[in-house]
Amino acid sequence: MLPKVLSLSLMLALLSMGAHAQTVYRIVGPDGKVTFSDRAPDTAAKPAQTTAGTPGSSAAAGAGLPFELGKVAARFPVTLYTGQNCAPCDTARRMLEARGVPFSERTINTSEDLQALTKLGSDSSLPFATIGGQQLTGFSDSEWNSYLDAAGYPKTSQLPSNYRRPAATPLTPPKPAPAAAAADTAPAATETLRRLARPPVAAPDPNAPNPNNPAGIKF
């Protein structure tokens, strides 16, 4: 009877040791938070892939930002449209920068830019901004802040110290220099250079002996 009791006690002790030696997994969430669990993480769920995007796209807007701010910027990207010598544009830019709103800036400098701006829904007034699908024409501090609040942007800057806003770019790509005119003038310019490079042809000497009249007989 005693050996059976000892065997049962030994089995219980082994089971107890096995329970204490259970594997604990360290899991890092997408927001950087670390949790511990006795269940293995789901490796089948792949993290969302991020791709490079154009200014104003959700992929570009949320890149390199704190997790919560990145989610808001990806869902409601902000684009500011400005012009030269536009004081309200400068005020709008300073407000967005002071609040820590990541945004893309597009400049309106040509008639093509202006036409593209009106196609976006603007009445040609600057500054013009989009917050997600919402359009804002003309700068109003209270109005713009209200829409930023509704979108979920923090009231104070949470941008990292190493954050650098993308440089402003024209709304429409600049036109390439016309190559046809240069092509037309190229052959004429080349021929002129060839003529200048040729040695001058000396005029014939009237006193030089004529090979057909070596005696120089004159009639």
Side-chain angles (χ1 to χ4, degrees), residues 141-213:
D141 186 272
S142 58
E143 181 185 16
W144 285 37
N145 275 297
S146 296
Y147 280 107
L148 292 171
D149 292 341
Y153 281 97
K155 292 182 178 295
T156 57
S157 178
Q158 295 184 9
L159 293 175
S161 59
N162 62 345
Y163 176 80
R164 296 294 180 270
R165 183 171 62 86
T169 57
L171 181 55
T172 58
K175 291 183 177 180
D184 293 340
T185 58
T190 303
E191 181 60 26
T192 302
L193 292 175
R194 288 178 180 175
R195 291 178 180 177
L196 292 175
R198 293 172 185 169
V201 178
D205 185 1
N207 298 322
N210 189 338
N212 297 324
N213 185 16

